[in-house]
Amino acid sequence: MARFYITTPIYYVNDVPHIGHAYTTTAADVAARFHRQLGDDVFFLTGTDEHGTKVEQAAAARGLTPKEHADEMVVKFKDVARRVGAGNDFFIRTTDPQHEKYVQDFVQRCYDAGDIYKSSYSGLYCPACEAYCAEENLVDGLCPDHGTTPVHMDEDNYFFRLSAFQERLAAHYRDNPEFVRPRHRYNEALSFIEQGLDDISISRATLKWGINVPWDPTQVIYVWVDALINYLSALTYASSQDLFDRFWPATYHLMAQDILKFHGVIWPALLMSAGYELPEHLFIHGYLKLGGEKMSKTRGNVMDPFPLIDRYGADPFRFYCLREVSFGQDGMVSEEGFKARYNSELANELGNLVSRTVSMIGKYRGGAVPAPPPERLPEDDSRDGAAVPRQSPGSADAPVGPPARLNSPLAAEAEATCEAVRSQLEDMDLSAALESVWGFVRRLNRYVEEQAPWKLAKAAATSKEAGAGTAGGEPISRAVDGDVSAAEQAAAALDATLWDLAEGLRLLSVLLHPFMPATAAAIRERLGPMLQTDRPTVAGEAAGDVHGIGDVGVGAGPSWREAAWGLLPPGLSVVAGPPLFPRIEE
Ligand code: MSP
């Protein structure tokens, strides 16, 4: 079984979460859900970064101890994951005692390897970045990222010999051209390495809020070293079993470009020093921008995702972020943009497609999805008299093999969509995958217009009234001895169209699951109880996990084996319901 370990950055608890944090967590969740659908062994980690100067300062400003402050703020960050519908398997806090102990052991390994020495640091430090910075990189004396004034620091610290890893790091980049993605971020990180690396201070003498250096408790470990190690430490205590062998090295560390240097340079060097394998990939997505600028609390321009989520649900929010912004590039977001896309694509396109399909099956076929007409079945099946494909998507053990190829005008496009979405998601091109899914939503809507089921129903009924031989008012769906009346033809075409649409919705429920899990489940519900499928995740298995993430109740969703045309099981009865996406009227 393939494994897939994905992480988000652990977020600072100095302030409340904003849409940028929700974005990364959502994107990681999309990838994790897709890999669960593939049947991979998935571990999805997020959490909070709770030590360091800025958390200490934020707590002091509120008259709280740092731990009291962190305990309050962490609730809001756990809530981000819950409200965007993320099924993370664990939520790590860097104040967890198990993490703290692990960090000390890790740093001790680097010390024992001879990569840490004592020296003095004299220079600038930006608390907003939690980073040492050089005078020449400031803009008008201010941090270019945060617009804040760095502080001067002069203290004896422990230093990590980053310079000693320059060659090995560059070689790793050259040997692994996919180590950092997308490519321009790889180039950025490699060129930073090639410009020459200086040793870095990895402890603080004046700060109290941190993990003690194991061999010198007068110093605390630099917050970034403490934080990066979370990706390893979590595996040692997230579950009653040690997950290290099962999941390390991480498949993807996901983040925006602000923290590329820490992950692309310092983290791999620390891992090399301590003797661990490096993560397989870093994926750097872009910034969500508001009014042309990166959102940042320090700058005071942030968009709060929660009112939108509370009002319209997690799925429209997830959809908007991944549809509006090309994954891997920066993009502008706004509340107006959200509402416009919601109305045009969710309400008018997807919502409408679902409601009209269900209502037409209700109106024309008494709510039962018709069997496809015999001439639409492959020859072997029609000789057997079988009216439906042999595979049932409800069963995890359904036989694999070529699906019954119904001769539908949608079949080829549906199969091409499944293939494209799979390869785009495997490639972490999340927005391109959603674009492919949307192409199929639009195709189904066009199909409704082309086939005009209401006309077919009318033709079937009109001919019937003219005495075209229906039994008991039941629509005719089978041709008799090649003598096909107009009514029979219309009824058969109607059956075929309604079957195609129901099958199209079933397929969408599989392809949409990573992006909009609640919507995918709602579509399956409308297609009838037979389609409900869910399997447990690592979080679901991990009873009693220390941060209560197991209660998110996220299942693995419909298997990706269902992403093929022609698997609609027989005997489905559709269930009408309220609109999935009521229009926003304001
Ligand atoms: N605590 C560190 C990370 C340590 S990881 C070992 C940190 N925290 S943070 O709270 O500042 O989070 C930064 C991350 O939040 C970004 O890399 C990105 O994942 C996400 N984003 C924050 N603002 C964002 C946008 N405006 N747009 C997109 N992502 C954003 O850095």
Side-chain angles (χ1 to χ4, degrees):
M1 186 197 286
R3 45 156 217 106
F4 186 77
Y5 174 24
I6 188 160
T7 66
T8 72
I10 48 171
Y11 306 115
Y12 287 127
V13 292
N14 62 309
D15 211 333
V16 293
H18 62 70
I19 195 170
H21 307 121
Y23 179 56
T24 312
T25 301
T26 298
D29 188 59
V30 170
R33 282 178 187 274
F34 165 66
H35 281 271
R36 286 194 199 106
Q37 284 186 284
L38 290 181
D40 293 351
D41 192 20
V42 172
F43 194 72
F44 166 19
L45 179 69
T46 187
T48 41
D49 189 352
E50 304 189 359
H51 293 125
T53 314
K54 71 175 174 181
V55 173
E56 189 182 64
Q57 286 174 348
R62 297 177 65 215
L64 298 175
T65 66
K67 183 63 167 55
E68 284 166 348
H69 169 83
D71 285 347
E72 273 184 24
M73 300 301 285
V74 75
V75 176
K76 300 182 196 297
F77 281 89
K78 285 185 173 178
D79 211 34
V80 175
R82 192 181 59 76
R83 277 152 100 179
V84 301
N88 51 303
D89 294 289
F90 190 59
F91 188 103
I92 188 169
R93 300 182 60 181
T94 53
T95 49
D96 291 338
Q98 301 96 321
H99 168 79
E100 294 182 341
K101 170 78 175 64
Y102 191 93
V103 169
Q104 289 187 317
D105 293 348
F106 185 104
V107 171
Q108 184 73 50
R109 286 170 79 123
C110 302
Y111 188 67
D112 294 345
D115 293 324
I116 293 178
Y117 63 94
K118 200 163 188 185
S119 184
S120 57
Y121 178 78
S122 178
L124 297 170
Y125 188 83
C126 171
C129 299
E130 289 286 13
Y132 305 91
C133 50
E135 190 98 42
E136 65 265 24
N137 294 336
L138 303 184
V139 176
D140 299 328
L142 303 177
C143 161
D145 282 343
H146 296 94
T148 48
T149 313
V151 291
H152 188 78
M153 259 178 50
D154 207 346
E155 50 180 59
D156 282 349
N157 291 157
Y158 289 96
F159 278 67
F160 176 66
R161 273 183 225 288
L162 186 60
S163 58
F165 291 88
Q166 174 160 347
E167 277 317 308
R168 282 174 69 189
L169 285 170
H172 185 79
Y173 271 72
R174 281 192 291 271
D175 294 345
N176 298 275
E178 297 284 299
F179 179 53
V180 176
R181 305 188 53 214
R183 190 68 186 180
H184 64 285
R185 298 296 177 198
Y186 167 96
N187 292 337
E188 210 175 292
L190 178 56
S191 97
F192 180 77
I193 293 166
E194 285 171 340
Q195 278 163 30
L197 299 175
D198 294 329
D199 293 349
I200 54 162
S201 159
I202 55 136
S203 73
R204 296 285 307 277
T206 49
L207 179 71
K208 293 284 156 267
W209 182 230
I211 302 171
N212 288 343
V213 170
W215 60 88
D216 180 354
T218 64
Q219 304 245 347
V220 298
I221 295 165
Y222 174 39
V223 64
W224 262 104
V225 172
D226 164 356
L228 287 162
I229 295 170
N230 91 88
Y231 301 131
L232 278 180
S233 70
L235 296 179
T236 64
Y237 69 97
S239 145
S240 50
Q241 328 155 10
D242 190 337
L243 302 175
F244 183 85
D245 290 336
R246 189 163 149 196
F247 289 110
W248 192 258
T251 320
Y252 275 104
H253 290 319
L254 191 59
M255 73 205 77
Q257 58 265 43
D258 50 347
I259 54 178
L260 169 58
K261 237 186 250 177
F262 295 99
H263 285 79
V265 182
I266 298 176
W267 179 223
L270 286 169
L271 286 166
M272 286 171 178
S273 168
Y276 292 101
E277 271 184 82
L278 305 198
E280 286 171 20
H281 310 283
L282 315 182
F283 193 98
I284 316 300
H285 63 63
Y287 287 140
L288 300 189
K289 294 183 160 189
L290 195 65
E293 279 195 29
K294 183 202 167 195
M295 261 174 262
S296 132
K297 267 279 171 183
T298 321
R299 287 184 186 277
N301 65 326
V302 290
M303 178 166 159
D304 184 353
F306 298 122
L308 292 180
I309 295 175
D310 291 344
R311 206 140 162 219
Y312 307 110
D315 279 13
F317 170 77
R318 296 166 66 102
F319 171 80
Y320 174 67
C321 291
L322 288 157
R323 189 104 176 89
E324 188 78 2
V325 181
S326 203
F327 199 62
Q329 290 170 32
D330 294 350
M332 297 275 282
V333 289
S334 67
E335 200 169 324
E336 302 72 61
F338 171 87
K339 289 180 179 168
R341 215 175 252 285
Y342 175 102
N343 277 340
S344 65
E345 298 189 332
L346 292 180
N348 289 359
E349 295 183 343
L350 180 59
N352 213 8
L353 173 68
V354 173
S355 62
R356 62 183 175 166
T357 300
V358 169
S359 92
M360 288 187 296
I361 294 171
K363 191 163 163 196
Y364 304 135
R365 291 295 180 262
V369 178
E375 67 271 23
R376 293 283 299 280
L377 295 170
E379 247 184 57
D380 280 349
D381 285 0
S382 70
R383 260 206 304 275
D384 290 341
V388 289
R390 295 186 214 97
Q391 290 142 308
S392 157
S395 145
D397 302 322
V400 275
R405 299 261 159 200
L406 300 176
N407 184 21
S408 161
L410 297 177
E413 215 167 319
E415 293 280 342
T417 303
C418 294
E419 229 169 86
V421 173
R422 179 178 179 141
S423 81
Q424 287 156 333
L425 284 175
E426 278 176 339
D427 202 30
M428 285 293 272
D429 199 347
L430 309 185
S431 49
L434 186 52
E435 172 71 21
S436 301
V437 178
W438 223 254
F440 193 62
V441 170
R442 291 180 172 157
R443 177 69 189 99
L444 289 171
N445 273 322
R446 283 200 309 279
Y447 188 63
V448 175
E449 299 307 318
E450 285 160 18
Q451 300 296 314
W454 47 92
K455 287 191 191 156
L456 295 173
K458 202 166 164 200
T462 314
S463 309
K464 245 190 317 182
E465 278 158 22
T470 47
E474 285 301 309
I476 293 168
S477 59
R478 279 170 189 268
V480 184
D481 292 331
D483 175 20
V484 183
S485 74
E488 285 167 338
Q489 271 186 16
L494 182 58
D495 277 351
T497 302
L498 295 178
W499 188 90
D500 283 339
L501 290 172
E503 171 61 346
L505 290 188
R506 182 199 63 79
L507 201 57
L508 281 179
S509 78
V510 181
L511 304 182
L512 281 173
H513 169 80
F515 301 97
M516 297 200 282
T519 303
I523 293 174
R524 293 172 85 79
E525 265 167 47
R526 306 264 162 126
L527 288 176
M530 280 184 64
L531 272 184
Q532 318 304 313
T533 31
D534 237 343
R535 289 164 292 123
T537 62
V538 173
E541 290 162 12
D545 91 53
V546 294
H547 292 307
I549 288 301
D551 67 2
V552 169
V554 176
S559 161
W560 197 263
R561 290 157 85 174
E562 276 198 49
W565 184 259
L567 301 183
L568 195 71
L572 293 181
S573 292
V574 297
V575 181
L580 289 182
F581 303 103
R583 279 185 68 79
I584 303 175
E585 307 286 357
E586 48 187 90

